[in-house]
Amino acid sequence: LGHSPNLLHDILSVFEAADVRGVGALRDTDIEHAFVDGARLAQELMLEGQWSYYEFVMCCLGCRPSPVMVNWYDVSQGYAQWVPKAMVGGRKLEGIWHTGVVVFGKEYWYGGKVLASPPGTAPFPPGPKRTTYIG
Protein backbone atom coordinates (compact mmCIF):
# COMPACT_ATOMS: atom_id res chain seq x y z
CA LEU A 1 0.00 0.00 0.00
CA GLY A 2 2.97 2.30 0.46
CA HIS A 3 3.71 2.09 -3.27
CA SER A 4 0.04 2.43 -4.30
CA PRO A 5 -1.79 4.63 -1.80
CA ASN A 6 -4.96 4.58 -3.94
CA LEU A 7 -5.07 0.78 -4.16
CA LEU A 8 -7.90 0.25 -1.66
CA HIS A 9 -9.92 3.04 -3.28
CA ASP A 10 -9.40 1.41 -6.69
CA ILE A 11 -10.42 -2.02 -5.35
CA LEU A 12 -13.57 -0.51 -3.82
CA SER A 13 -14.43 1.16 -7.15
CA VAL A 14 -14.02 -2.13 -9.03
CA PHE A 15 -16.10 -3.98 -6.44
CA GLU A 16 -18.91 -1.42 -6.60
CA ALA A 17 -18.93 -1.53 -10.42
CA ALA A 18 -19.12 -5.36 -10.39
CA ASP A 19 -21.86 -5.39 -7.72
CA VAL A 20 -24.65 -4.69 -10.21
CA ARG A 21 -27.26 -6.12 -7.80
CA GLY A 22 -26.19 -3.60 -5.14
CA VAL A 23 -26.14 -6.19 -2.34
CA GLY A 24 -22.53 -5.81 -1.21
CA ALA A 25 -21.50 -9.24 -2.49
CA LEU A 26 -20.31 -10.72 -5.79
CA ARG A 27 -21.44 -13.98 -7.38
CA ASP A 28 -19.47 -15.84 -10.04
CA THR A 29 -21.80 -14.38 -12.70
CA ASP A 30 -21.00 -10.85 -11.48
CA ILE A 31 -17.29 -11.60 -11.91
CA GLU A 32 -17.87 -13.15 -15.34
CA HIS A 33 -19.70 -10.04 -16.61
CA ALA A 34 -17.53 -7.38 -14.95
CA PHE A 35 -14.03 -8.49 -15.94
CA VAL A 36 -12.21 -9.25 -19.15
CA ASP A 37 -11.78 -13.05 -19.10
CA GLY A 38 -14.15 -13.06 -16.12
CA ALA A 39 -15.26 -16.68 -16.64
CA ARG A 40 -11.68 -17.91 -16.24
CA LEU A 41 -11.18 -15.61 -13.25
CA ALA A 42 -14.35 -16.85 -11.51
CA GLN A 43 -13.28 -20.45 -12.08
CA GLU A 44 -9.73 -19.76 -10.84
CA LEU A 45 -11.06 -18.08 -7.69
CA MET A 46 -13.30 -21.09 -7.00
CA LEU A 47 -16.21 -18.90 -6.01
CA GLU A 48 -18.76 -20.78 -3.96
CA GLY A 49 -21.87 -18.74 -3.34
CA GLN A 50 -20.94 -15.09 -2.89
CA TRP A 51 -17.89 -13.09 -1.94
CA SER A 52 -18.14 -10.17 0.43
CA TYR A 53 -16.17 -6.98 -0.13
CA TYR A 54 -13.61 -8.14 2.43
CA GLU A 55 -13.10 -11.48 0.67
CA PHE A 56 -12.75 -9.59 -2.62
CA VAL A 57 -10.10 -7.27 -1.13
CA MET A 58 -8.12 -10.23 0.23
CA CYS A 59 -8.24 -11.88 -3.19
CA CYS A 60 -7.05 -8.67 -4.89
CA LEU A 61 -4.16 -8.52 -2.41
CA GLY A 62 -3.12 -12.07 -3.36
CA CYS A 63 -4.68 -14.03 -0.51
CA ARG A 64 -6.65 -17.12 -1.54
CA PRO A 65 -9.05 -19.19 0.54
CA SER A 66 -7.47 -22.10 2.37
CA PRO A 67 -9.09 -24.94 4.28
CA VAL A 68 -8.60 -24.72 8.05
CA MET A 69 -8.04 -27.85 10.14
CA VAL A 70 -7.12 -28.56 13.75
CA ASN A 71 -4.62 -31.31 14.54
CA TRP A 72 -5.11 -32.90 17.97
CA TYR A 73 -2.04 -34.26 19.77
CA ASP A 74 -2.34 -36.42 22.91
CA VAL A 75 0.64 -35.22 24.91
CA SER A 76 0.02 -38.02 27.45
CA GLN A 77 0.72 -40.54 24.63
CA GLY A 78 -2.27 -42.63 25.74
CA TYR A 79 -1.52 -42.61 29.47
CA ALA A 80 -4.41 -40.21 30.25
CA GLN A 81 -6.82 -43.14 30.05
CA TRP A 82 -5.26 -44.51 33.26
CA VAL A 83 -6.02 -41.38 35.33
CA PRO A 84 -8.70 -42.33 37.89
CA LYS A 85 -12.12 -40.82 37.12
CA ALA A 86 -12.36 -39.54 40.69
CA MET A 87 -9.40 -37.24 40.05
CA VAL A 88 -11.06 -35.56 37.06
CA GLY A 89 -14.67 -35.08 38.17
CA GLY A 90 -15.96 -38.53 37.25
CA ARG A 91 -14.94 -38.34 33.62
CA LYS A 92 -12.70 -40.71 31.74
CA LEU A 93 -9.90 -38.89 29.94
CA GLU A 94 -9.29 -39.85 26.35
CA GLY A 95 -6.16 -37.73 26.19
CA ILE A 96 -4.43 -34.57 27.31
CA TRP A 97 -4.68 -32.44 24.22
CA HIS A 98 -2.45 -29.94 22.53
CA THR A 99 -3.62 -28.58 19.21
CA GLY A 100 -2.19 -27.05 16.08
CA VAL A 101 -4.10 -25.06 13.46
CA VAL A 102 -3.35 -26.01 9.85
CA VAL A 103 -3.90 -23.26 7.26
CA PHE A 104 -2.09 -22.04 4.14
CA GLY A 105 0.11 -25.15 4.10
CA LYS A 106 1.56 -24.70 7.61
CA GLU A 107 0.64 -25.82 11.08
CA TYR A 108 0.66 -23.15 13.78
CA TRP A 109 0.99 -24.20 17.41
CA TYR A 110 1.97 -22.71 20.74
CA GLY A 111 5.24 -23.54 22.44
CA GLY A 112 6.00 -20.47 24.58
CA LYS A 113 5.22 -18.41 21.48
CA VAL A 114 3.33 -19.13 18.26
CA LEU A 115 5.45 -21.40 16.07
CA ALA A 116 4.95 -22.94 12.63
CA SER A 117 5.95 -26.25 11.07
CA PRO A 118 4.89 -28.49 8.19
CA PRO A 119 1.45 -30.01 8.92
CA GLY A 120 1.56 -33.00 11.25
CA THR A 121 5.14 -32.41 12.38
CA ALA A 122 4.64 -30.36 15.56
CA PRO A 123 6.91 -31.80 18.26
CA PHE A 124 4.20 -33.67 20.14
CA PRO A 125 4.70 -37.41 19.87
CA PRO A 126 3.52 -39.61 18.31
CA GLY A 127 1.93 -37.18 15.79
CA PRO A 128 -1.67 -36.01 15.53
CA LYS A 129 -4.21 -38.42 17.01
CA ARG A 130 -7.01 -36.88 14.96
CA THR A 131 -7.74 -33.95 12.64
CA THR A 132 -10.89 -31.82 12.60
CA TYR A 133 -11.92 -29.90 9.48
CA ILE A 134 -13.07 -26.40 10.46
CA GLY A 135 -13.84 -24.85 7.08
Side-chain angles (χ1 to χ4, degrees):
L1 293 173
H3 298 293
S4 302
N6 292 327
L7 180 62
L8 291 178
H9 178 269
D10 295 344
I11 291 172
L12 176 60
S13 297
V14 168
F15 181 86
E16 288 175 337
D19 182 18
V20 294
R21 298 173 299 133
V23 296
L26 300 180
R27 296 181 299 194
D28 57 350
T29 54
D30 298 327
I31 300 286
E32 290 172 10
H33 295 299
F35 296 95
V36 174
D37 204 12
R40 182 195 58 78
L41 179 61
Q43 184 178 15
E44 179 184 313
L45 298 177
M46 298 181 296
L47 290 178
E48 294 179 14
Q50 308 187 113
W51 275 31
S52 70
Y53 170 68
Y54 303 103
E55 292 166 320
F56 183 76
V57 169
M58 294 304 295
C59 180
C60 290
L61 296 176
C63 296
R64 296 295 187 262
S66 176
V68 178
M69 295 173 285
V70 175
N71 280 341
W72 298 75
Y73 297 88
D74 178 10
V75 295
S76 78
Q77 298 183 30
Y79 289 106
Q81 66 182 331
W82 301 107
V83 174
K85 289 181 182 181
M87 291 183 67
V88 288
R91 296 180 146 180
K92 181 168 176 68
L93 289 180
E94 184 183 335
I96 299 173
W97 303 107
H98 198 293
T99 57
V101 177
V102 180
V103 65
F104 297 115
K106 290 188 177 182
E107 181 171 2
Y108 298 90
W109 47 277
Y110 187 77
K113 61 182 179 179
V114 177
L115 302 163
S117 61
T121 65
F124 310 111
K129 194 85 163 156
R130 64 178 174 229
T131 299
T132 304
Y133 177 77
I134 302 297

